[in-house]
Amino acid sequence: MITPALPRIDGIALVLEDAMIVAYDAAAMLSEFGALDVVVCATLSDAMERIRTGLRPALALLDIDLGGETSLEAACALNESAVPIIYSTGYEADSELLTAFPSGEMLLKPYTAEDIAKALQSLGFLTA
């Protein structure tokens, strides 16, 4: 059986996710797609500090709802630097909350590596 080529992340990935088990699962999946390093942030303030101090990831995977706040500020800052964004949410993809966010691909939780691969391909990540 021929294994299809997977999209490759060339550089650092950022994961902003308040549920640490989900965050580390996502980081492991992004590493499988070639991310050189995966920076995991559990809070918006941590992510914003890293962005302000120069983090420019090749990809960001942002949880929409961070337990009382959203990742909107990080999404806007990353969008200004043209960082491709994959969002993850437990909400419906057409929720009114999501209309304020910059464009990106959407994953509904729980998601798989196959879901991430499809999102990466949609964002233009090519196979190695």
Side-chain angles (χ1 to χ4, degrees):
M1 179 175 188
I2 297 173
T3 303
L6 298 174
R8 300 282 302 166
I9 301 167
D10 185 22
I12 296 171
L14 169 66
V15 173
L16 174 53
E17 168 66 61
D18 61 332
M20 285 296 93
I21 290 176
V22 175
Y24 289 116
D25 282 347
M29 286 187 264
L30 294 175
S31 291
E32 290 176 18
F33 290 108
L36 301 175
D37 188 21
V38 181
V39 175
V40 175
C41 299
T43 64
L44 177 61
S45 62
D46 185 18
M48 290 306 299
E49 179 62 25
R50 291 173 186 257
I51 293 166
R52 277 192 285 272
T53 58
L55 176 65
R56 291 294 175 265
L59 173 78
L61 175 56
L62 308 179
D63 183 11
I64 296 287
D65 181 2
L66 300 169
E69 61 185 353
T70 71
S71 60
L72 179 59
E73 184 181 0
C76 291
L78 292 163
N79 186 59
E80 287 177 15
S81 297
V83 173
I85 301 171
I86 299 174
Y87 298 105
S88 67
T89 185
Y91 300 109
E92 289 300 315
D94 62 353
S95 170
E96 200 166 307
L97 167 69
L98 304 179
T99 60
F101 283 77
S103 66
E105 290 298 309
M106 182 63 65
L107 299 178
L108 293 178
K109 292 179 182 177
Y111 51 84
T112 65
E114 183 177 323
D115 297 326
I116 291 176
K118 289 176 185 175
L120 288 170
Q121 290 168 337
S122 293
L123 289 170
F125 286 83
L126 304 175
T127 57

